Amino acid sequence: SLKILTVCMVAAGGIISWLHHFVHSLNGSMIHSSVLSDTGNHVNGDGPNIDVSSSSQSSTDGLTSGSQASDSKTNDQSTLKKVNKKAKPKLSFFESVKVLVQDKYLMNVAMMVLSYGLTMEFTEIIWKSTVKKAFPLKTDYLAFMGRYSSLVGAVAFAMMFVGAQVNQLLGWRSAALTTPVTMGLLAVPFFSSIIFGGVDSKSSLLTAVYVGMLQNVLSKATKYAIFDPTKEMTYIPLSKEAKTQGKAAIDVLGARLGKSAGALAQQLLVVIFGSIMAGAPVVATMFYLVIALW
């Protein structure tokens, strides 16, 4: 039944992705048509009437009419610029891929975001499985996850003051490496306790639970306090157009694709091995491959 459910979830995910792309393309074409319609209305609109054939108008009236025509033209151009600026559609999936493939710099930034999403998905799901095994009662599980969420907020708040200092003292590269290095080091005892100790041992299980909690807390805290600011700094040297398109493409591919691909990989492991715990060695291998790529 678990395998059937996994297949249904994967199929539903594919259908939802296709529907999202279809609706997004349809919405983009409607926005484009609306912009063209608004442009035609502005261009063909009623302007000020200037009677140049009348000989009774004074030179002062002519200057006034010319000034009004000039002001009207300027206002129309300003309005058109505002309409075009507001009507910029978001990039679709394939447009995002095209933007990133054409720019190696943006591709590297996207790989940073994608790597974070994948590594967090690899560790978080298997860690939550150990927590459920260590705390089988629902009330105990919810109480533990509540303490975990509070700890994430407290550590992230404290890291906000440390993150700026790390960037100023050690430079951008060291600050950008803080998150993957932290995740990689703390994942060693986490995966070791699961793979070599086994989840049937109470001590190994609790080690995996609390080391995994420490890793997840620090991973999310460094993400909010250090990773996100360093990522935003990478857009500074880009042109305005590259910055706009690059951020849109990375938002579509980097963050969403990272979580989706990580969840899909783990669902396939469940189908192959029967449980995520049995596939822990493969998860650990994929985790460190992504860390090295990051």
Side-chain angles (χ1 to χ4, degrees), residues 48-88:
N49 295 324
I50 305 173
D51 189 5
V52 296
S53 62
S54 176
S55 58
S56 61
Q57 289 182 333
S58 63
S59 59
T60 304
D61 293 336
L63 290 174
T64 303
S65 299
S67 176
Q68 292 176 351
S70 177
D71 292 342
S72 176
K73 184 177 180 181
T74 302
N75 292 334
D76 287 341
Q77 291 177 349
S78 177
T79 304
L80 288 175
K81 288 181 180 179
K82 290 181 179 179
V83 170
N84 291 331
K85 184 176 182 180
K86 292 180 180 179
K88 285 182 179 178

Side-chain angles (χ1 to χ4, degrees), residues 149-171:
S149 299
S150 301
L151 188 60
V152 170
V155 176
F157 179 77
M159 287 293 294
M160 293 294 291
F161 301 98
V162 179
Q165 301 300 324
V166 172
N167 204 353
Q168 291 177 3
L169 295 176
L170 301 179

